[in-house]
Amino acid sequence: MKKVALITGAAQGIGFETARLLGEKGYAVILADVQDASSKVEELEGKGIEAKAISFDLADSATFHQVVEFVDKHYGRLDALVNNAAMLVDMGKHPSDLSEVLFRKVMEVNYIGPFLFTQKLVPLLKKSEAGRIVNLSTQVAQLAQLSDMNSPLRDDICAAYQSSKIGVNAMTVLFAKELEEFGIKVNSCCPGWVDSAMNTDELPDYGDEARPKTPAEGADTSVWLATLPQDGPTAGFFTDREKINW
């Protein structure tokens, strides 16, 4: 029986490549997105990958039940949840620059939504023999880095996004502790600087030698964590398959 993976934000970029790479490993993949991902499902099916799409909105928890019902109806369990979807719309904004509306919107989509969405899917993950949860985070939200006044990333300021991803990292550890007894592994990862729709012209200058990763390269650590063996890590933060500080 095929393992089943659900990837949020899978209609494009890192999310789609995560779905594709998991599909190539034999997983049935569910592309969950606020956008219509049906054309992406056709693309995957053309490669021999079992794929389905469902629409939902991380900012509207009332849409979560339809995803749970969809997964339960078609598969009866979930083996991997990749919380990939997020928004970055506050590049260069310091805490005092944020409007309440923008701050709440980013927190809702990037942190509160994934937290509540994961909560709803836990019963289906418990039905897996080896459930895995992967939460996409970022190195610019590392407290170790943020508290270093000499960090090379000091000028990477996006206060709402960074705050939301700190929440995601806390959520990772909390769910990891709760679900350890069920054999479910929960980890965060940073995909790195990736050439995707989230990339913005306002990013700092990283130098002439810097090259953004392709979406497939950015998806690699997510796929690795989603397919961890029984002796793999949990409650960790990783980039390029290497553990990093919180």
Side-chain angles (χ1 to χ4, degrees), residues 52-215:
K52 299 183 186 301
I54 185 165
S55 296
F56 86 119
D57 186 351
L58 277 171
D60 182 6
S61 61
T63 66
F64 296 175
H65 76 279
Q66 66 197 37
V67 180
V68 176
E69 291 174 359
F70 182 88
V71 178
D72 193 26
K73 174 185 175 181
H74 287 282
Y75 300 104
R77 74 183 195 288
L78 185 62
D79 299 292
L81 168 62
V82 182
N83 285 311
N84 167 80
M87 63 190 306
L88 171 55
V89 291
D90 62 317
M91 199 67 212
K93 288 189 179 293
H94 292 268
S96 58
D97 297 329
L98 288 173
S99 69
E100 180 178 348
V101 171
L102 181 60
F103 183 63
R104 288 185 180 278
K105 182 178 182 180
V106 172
M107 292 299 286
E108 193 73 49
V109 171
N110 290 5
Y111 172 49
I112 298 172
F115 188 105
L116 298 176
F117 189 60
T118 299
Q119 213 178 39
K120 296 292 186 186
L121 287 167
V122 161
L124 287 170
L125 285 157
K126 286 181 177 178
K127 293 182 179 181
S128 170
E129 294 181 358
R132 303 289 181 259
I133 299 173
V134 183
N135 297 321
L136 273 286
S137 186
T138 174
Q139 285 175 275
V140 297
Q142 283 179 281
L143 286 174
Q145 181 273 127
L146 283 170
S147 60
D148 179 2
M149 301 302 282
N150 297 311
S151 167
L153 300 179
R154 174 175 174 151
D155 293 332
D156 287 25
I157 299 295
C158 37
Y161 180 75
Q162 287 167 304
S163 297
S164 70
K165 292 300 186 177
I166 290 170
V168 165
N169 284 346
M171 157 186 160
T172 293
V173 175
L174 292 169
F175 273 107
K177 288 180 178 180
E178 177 188 356
L179 300 176
E180 184 179 24
E181 66 178 288
F182 301 98
I184 299 173
K185 297 183 183 298
V186 190
N187 292 287
S188 285
C189 71
C190 172
W193 181 28
V194 178
D195 186 7
S196 70
M198 187 178 282
N199 214 343
T200 72
D201 293 335
E202 289 116 10
L203 285 172
D205 183 0
Y206 295 117
D208 294 337
E209 301 303 317
R211 177 189 69 83
K213 295 178 180 178
T214 65

Side-chain angles (χ1 to χ4, degrees), residues 206-246:
Y206 295 117
D208 294 337
E209 301 303 317
R211 177 189 69 83
K213 295 178 180 178
T214 65
E217 289 171 334
D220 177 72
T221 301
S222 294
V223 173
W224 172 62
L225 291 171
T227 58
L228 284 174
Q230 186 176 2
D231 61 352
T234 192
F237 191 11
F238 298 85
T239 192
D240 295 326
R241 302 195 182 195
E242 296 291 334
K243 192 169 186 179
I244 57 176
N245 292 328
W246 295 108

